[in-house]
Amino acid sequence: MDVRDLSAAAASAGDGLKLVNRLGESRSPYVRGHMHNPVAWQMWGPEAIALAKKSNRLIFISIGYAACHWCHVMERESFENQEVANLLNASFIPIKIDREERPDVDRIYMNYVQATTGSGGWPLNVFITPDLEPIFGGTYWPGPGSTMAVGDHIGFVGIVQKIRDVWQNQQQRCLESAKEITAQLREFAQDGNISRQGGAESDGLELDLLDEAYEHYAAKYDSEFAGFPKGAPKFPTPANLAFLLKLGLFPSAVSEVIGSQECENAKAMVLSTLRAMNRGGIHDQIGNGFARYSVTRDWSLPHFEKMLYDQAQLLPLYLDAYLLTKDPEFLSTIHDIATYLTSSPMQASTGGFFSAEDADSLYRPTDKEKREGAFYVWTFSEFQTILGDRDADILARYYNVKDEGNVSPEHDAHDELINQNVLAITSTPTELAKEFALSVEEVERILSEGRQKLLEHRNKERPRPTLDDKIVVSWNGLAIGALARTASALSISDPNASKKYLDAAEKAVVFLSNELYNHDSKTLKRVYREGPGEVPGFADDYAFLISGLIDMYEATFNDSFLTLADDLQRTQLALFWDQEHLGFFSTPKDQEDLIMRLKDGMDNAEPGTNGVSARNLDKLGALFEDEAYTKKAREIGQAFEAEIMQHPFLFSSLMDAVVVGRLGMKHSVITGEGKRVDEWLKEYRSRPQSLGTVSRIGKETGEWLRSRNALVKSMSVEREGVMVCELGVCREGLELDIAGLRLDGRENGAANGEGAGVAI
């Protein structure tokens, strides 16, 4: 439906309904941020939906998140405008939704907007019928007086008027169109539901799919500036980078299919991308952490919001890059991200990790208007004032700071970045030493001290961006796993940092277990802010937390993490598993405020829920010798078989399951104590993550695992050894190769329930 074609008749609904803004009842920082708007926003839920049905009004939903720059722009232009408020209040039920609290609602209507407009984003604005069926939607629309209005493009006021009029004068047409659109939307959103229709048998997923995915990324790679795609904007999309980095780490059968040179090229693409990001404007060069994405092709200009889920996915990616290369630049980045996660303001004193820092902020405490990037950008004159002339020149060359600023006007829609510089590393200490006739050591000292001066000035003089202090289970699960893996890998080389990161992860697990986990029903709530929220956990909350708990177990060999992971896995299967077409739905079956249930298979800014779930099931299946779990992992692949075979590159996080389905997964069991098993574990933890899992049993370790796994129970807890188990067969294995474990030695009787760990 094109709003320019709609009737332009009369005014208000005339139903006498007087709405008041209800957002003060919300705990969401994003939603509460609109509580003083003249728009009479309602809360999403049964009450507002019933009100729409009773009054026969269309619902206007506006979905965003606290760190969203364009959400703030639309609020200033439209939702704080009385004319807009009068239109919405008189004829609609306006509802504000935090996409991070309700990703299920967001995804349904984002699918609609993407299908009808070809693009998506936030704020997401959709007009829907009282039966929740969409009739028109989009993202940012210019408000009254906006400088963003172009040509004859209709602004938000015009859209609201047109939609109001057509609902009043052509309601039946609206309803018919909405039902047709919804039917098409259901067809559009059939991922994970079509492969098994009509009782179709699985053809199986072959390793060739990994080659097809690799070829896609090789064709899309930006060889000049690194990253994907060749143009702009550029998003990190860590799931895709992790897949490419793993290709050479999988068992040799994978590289035989793809080609050893291709695996090397995949690794080179990832390492170049990680270096470009690390040196670019997307990285906070003065503080810590990464912004969400780059507006420009060369990673120089970000949208400045920092999201927890980005840090939590980039950390293990940089960790694996470091473990592969031992490059000190990557090690520095590991500590940079881990420090950001485990410090104020991102980690709560109670243990959980907060969601995001805003893109917009005040430049000075006395300013009235926030602007994008104000906390992060610099003028050359500021460098001179803070650093002195000589050091300012050196750091300006290092960070690409120019007197006239380094942001192109075409990327500064609101003239917020005039004469401002986004810091990005464009030189090296060696180059600077030659240019300024100094030693490399002296340049490095100047850079280090100058960075510290800039950081101190920023922290003292500039108001920090607003913090979205929601604690979301799924993102916390990602952060827990990232910190656990980092702590494990650094446990020998940097025990102090390792302990700090592991303690932070464990503190988060304790918080989630105490505040958002019901120990009786074994279910999760999704969000904590000023207490647990009402929204139940979604499939991704279970999947990402289970994954984090498995990483915590492998870092500590504390059975309690494995016990909780097992309980959550059973609950995820009970609440979200599709018995008919297989795979996990994103929402439980009793969710009443949705027009459809979707499955999350593709990777986006976050990894696909079904891909992470398949990996969890394979790992738990190997740890427990649980064939039911392993079978479910294979069935997830079957659920998405048609889609994966058509576009394998969209399902990077499911590629592990493809490999395991063909080659299996190994479970290494460390038994007893001693120098040689300690050396084996040290070597194991120094390798990048690929396939496989590890456990440990001893006199005071692994009692619960032994009760859960009969094969492990048969092993001696006293004899020093490493057993490598696969498909019920265990061999002794003390040699590692890059793909996991080289199985040298005889088959052990433990496979037949006879023996115990092999002595070394």
Side-chain angles (χ1 to χ4, degrees):
M1 182 183 296
D2 188 331
V3 292
R4 287 173 288 192
D5 295 335
L6 300 180
S7 163
S12 87
D15 55 16
L17 180 62
K18 301 293 184 184
L19 299 174
V20 296
N21 190 310
R22 300 278 301 275
L23 301 190
E25 301 168 25
S26 172
R27 292 178 182 165
S28 159
Y30 172 70
V31 173
R32 286 180 63 87
H34 294 74
M35 63 189 288
H36 298 301
N37 293 168
V39 176
W41 296 111
Q42 306 297 293
M43 306 268 285
W44 177 265
E47 185 177 349
I49 295 168
L51 187 61
K53 290 179 177 179
K54 182 178 179 181
S55 63
N56 193 33
R57 289 189 182 193
L58 287 175
I59 298 170
F60 169 68
I61 56 171
S62 183
I63 305 175
Y65 57 101
C68 168
H69 170 67
W70 286 100
C71 299
H72 302 321
V73 173
M74 191 160 182
E75 181 186 15
R76 288 196 300 268
E77 291 180 356
S78 293
F79 303 142
E80 292 178 352
N81 181 278
Q82 192 63 53
E83 177 189 4
V84 172
N86 291 342
L87 287 167
L88 290 173
N89 297 347
S91 301
F92 299 88
I93 304 296
I95 299 177
K96 258 291 166 194
I97 301 174
D98 185 333
R99 76 165 176 115
E100 295 159 3
E101 281 192 337
R102 294 303 304 264
D104 52 340
V105 179
D106 176 69
R107 188 172 167 213
I108 288 171
Y109 298 111
M110 183 64 76
N111 280 348
Y112 162 69
V113 168
Q114 289 176 328
T116 53
T117 70
S119 62
W122 295 275
L124 178 66
N125 298 296
V126 186
F127 295 88
I128 63 177
T129 71
D131 291 325
L132 311 184
E133 296 175 332
I135 63 168
F136 186 76
T139 56
Y140 163 81
W141 289 310
S146 171
T147 59
M148 297 300 294
V150 179
D152 63 349
H153 284 255
I154 191 167
F156 185 51
V157 168
I159 288 170
V160 174
Q161 290 171 332
K162 296 283 189 181
I163 297 293
R164 173 201 65 192
D165 295 344
V166 79
W167 180 249
Q168 290 178 5
N169 299 305
Q170 301 180 45
Q171 187 169 135
Q172 190 57 38
R173 175 191 169 194
C174 256
L175 292 170
E176 290 170 0
S177 174
K179 292 198 178 302
E180 182 180 342
I181 289 169
T182 302
Q184 293 172 350
L185 187 58
R186 286 195 172 95
E187 292 180 16
F188 176 79
Q190 280 292 297
D191 286 1
N193 293 331
I194 60 177
S195 298
R196 303 279 69 80
Q197 285 184 356
E201 292 296 318
S202 170
D203 293 329
L205 297 171
E206 302 288 348
L207 296 179
D208 289 348
L209 291 167
L210 280 75
D211 186 43
E212 291 181 41
Y214 161 77
E215 291 293 346
H216 168 85
Y217 288 117
K220 296 291 184 182
Y221 179 67
D222 186 341
S223 58
E224 183 177 358
F225 294 104
F228 306 90
K230 291 180 179 178
K234 274 191 167 69
F235 287 82
T237 319
N240 298 339
L241 298 178
F243 159 71
L244 289 169
L245 198 61
K246 280 183 184 177
L247 287 178
L249 305 175
F250 284 134
S252 58
V254 175
S255 59
E256 288 169 5
V257 170
I258 296 171
S260 57
Q261 184 57 49
E262 286 75 9
C263 290
E264 281 298 309
N265 185 51
K267 179 176 76 173
M269 289 191 293
V270 175
L271 297 180
S272 294
T273 300
L274 294 178
R275 288 191 179 98
M277 288 171 50
N278 187 53
R279 298 168 188 176
I282 192 174
H283 183 198
D284 181 357
Q285 301 292 344
I286 296 301
N288 304 106
F290 284 77
R292 185 165 152 256
Y293 69 95
S294 177
V295 176
T296 55
R297 180 184 172 191
D298 62 358
W299 299 103
S300 62
L301 177 64
H303 264 314
F304 292 87
E305 62 264 38
K306 291 180 183 174
M307 310 300 296
L308 173 60
Y309 61 73
D310 284 321
Q311 323 306 322
Q313 292 177 88
L314 289 172
L315 177 55
L317 193 54
Y318 276 99
L319 175 66
D320 284 338
Y322 169 69
L323 295 176
L324 265 178
T325 65
K326 298 302 189 234
D327 186 333
E329 179 179 353
F330 292 143
L331 179 60
S332 175
T333 312
I334 290 166
H335 289 299
D336 178 292
I337 301 171
T339 297
Y340 181 68
L341 284 173
T342 57
S343 304
S344 176
M346 288 305 289
Q347 185 165 30
S349 59
T350 51
F353 299 101
F354 293 136
S355 295
E357 286 195 280
D358 206 335
D360 297 8
S361 60
L362 299 173
Y363 177 60
R364 299 181 183 85
T366 55
D367 288 351
K368 302 298 182 186
E369 293 289 332
K370 292 183 179 181
R371 55 185 173 90
E372 185 180 13
F375 187 67
Y376 301 102
V377 296
W378 302 84
T379 63
F380 180 63
S381 62
E382 285 177 313
F383 264 44
Q384 292 176 312
T385 300
I386 297 165
L387 303 172
D389 289 344
R390 186 201 66 168
D391 289 2
D393 287 342
I394 293 173
L395 269 82
R397 290 283 290 137
Y398 186 66
Y399 287 124
N400 192 37
V401 172
K402 301 175 181 178
D403 191 40
E404 70 277 12
N406 64 12
V407 179
S408 170
E410 67 180 289
H411 295 127
D412 187 16
H414 301 288
D415 295 332
E416 295 174 314
L417 298 170
I418 295 173
N419 296 327
Q420 300 290 331
N421 292 272
V422 178
L423 304 191
I425 297 173
T426 56
S427 189
T428 68
T430 301
E431 291 167 343
L432 293 172
K434 291 180 180 178
E435 181 177 349
F436 290 93
L438 298 168
S439 69
V440 172
E441 293 75 17
E442 179 69 3
V443 168
E444 289 175 340
R445 182 190 64 78
I446 291 169
L447 292 175
S448 177
E449 292 179 358
R451 179 179 180 273
Q452 186 61 34
K453 289 176 182 177
L454 292 171
L455 178 61
E456 289 172 357
H457 174 88
R458 191 175 82 173
N459 289 340
K460 180 180 179 182
E461 300 296 333
R462 299 183 184 178
R464 195 165 186 114
T466 303
L467 177 71
D468 183 345
D469 59 352
K470 291 193 315 296
I471 295 171
V472 179
V473 170
S474 61
W475 299 355
N476 272 251
L478 292 173
I480 288 164
L483 289 167
R485 278 208 56 224
T486 302
S488 178
L490 301 181
S491 58
I492 302 299
S493 62
D494 195 339
N496 291 332
S498 173
K499 184 178 186 307
K500 175 186 175 184
Y501 303 153
L502 189 62
D503 286 350
E506 185 165 4
K507 192 175 179 183
V509 173
V510 171
F511 175 83
L512 297 181
S513 177
N514 289 342
E515 300 294 343
L516 291 169
Y517 178 62
N518 186 313
H519 291 260
D520 296 324
S521 65
K522 304 188 187 308
T523 56
L524 293 167
K525 295 289 188 183
R526 177 169 175 82
V527 172
Y528 182 97
R529 186 176 188 268
E530 300 172 357
E534 296 299 320
V535 179
F538 298 111
D540 65 328
D541 294 304
Y542 287 86
F544 297 176
L545 182 54
I546 292 166
S547 177
L549 290 166
I550 294 171
D551 288 330
M552 283 295 293
Y553 171 73
E554 291 181 338
T556 64
F557 300 122
N558 182 332
D559 276 355
S560 66
F561 298 118
L562 214 48
T563 307
L564 181 54
D566 193 27
D567 287 342
L568 289 171
Q569 187 60 77
R570 294 173 190 270
T571 301
Q572 188 195 28
L573 286 164
L575 293 180
F576 303 97
W577 186 257
D578 181 353
Q579 298 289 349
E580 182 179 3
H581 296 129
L582 311 178
F584 287 102
F585 285 111
S586 298
T587 53
K589 59 187 175 183
D590 57 354
Q591 199 80 33
E592 295 180 352
D593 53 1
L594 303 174
I595 55 174
M596 63 187 73
R597 291 178 84 189
L598 302 177
K599 291 180 184 173
D600 179 15
M602 294 185 288
D603 302 296
N604 291 292
E606 301 169 50
T609 300
N610 275 276
V612 175
S613 297
R615 189 181 305 133
N616 293 341
L617 287 161
D618 271 325
K619 282 201 166 192
L620 293 176
L623 283 164
F624 303 150
E625 289 291 328
D626 190 322
E627 292 183 9
Y629 278 172
T630 303
K631 182 173 183 286
K632 284 288 190 289
R634 303 287 72 74
E635 289 177 344
I636 289 175
Q638 293 171 25
F640 291 91
E641 187 174 288
E643 295 90 339
I644 295 173
M645 292 178 73
Q646 186 173 11
H647 298 297
F649 60 89
L650 295 175
F651 297 87
S652 295
S653 64
L654 264 167
M655 291 298 122
D656 278 10
V658 174
V659 177
V660 175
R662 289 296 167 190
L663 304 178
M665 176 174 279
K666 298 175 179 64
H667 170 204
S668 305
V669 187
I670 302 171
T671 63
E673 307 287 337
K675 181 178 179 181
R676 295 188 69 189
V677 291
D678 288 345
E679 285 297 318
W680 184 95
L681 183 58
K682 176 183 175 182
E683 177 72 7
Y684 181 89
R685 287 176 168 171
S686 72
R687 304 288 178 140
Q689 189 177 58
S690 182
L691 300 179
T693 187
V694 63
S695 64
R696 186 162 197 167
I697 59 172
K699 291 180 180 179
E700 299 179 358
T701 307
E703 183 177 346
W704 181 86
L705 178 60
R706 295 177 71 229
S707 72
R708 183 72 168 81
N709 184 337
L711 193 58
V712 172
K713 187 176 183 179
S714 69
M715 299 176 185
S716 169
V717 299
E718 296 182 351
R719 303 183 70 184
E720 184 184 3
V722 177
M723 304 302 300
V724 182
C725 303
E726 187 176 13
L727 300 176
V729 176
C730 293
R731 296 177 171 89
E732 52 182 310
L734 274 167
E735 294 187 47
L736 284 162
D737 65 24
I738 196 69
L741 292 169
R742 194 191 315 279
L743 303 185
D744 295 324
R746 70 185 190 284
E747 184 172 328
N748 184 259
N752 301 312
E754 303 170 1
V758 175
I760 306 171

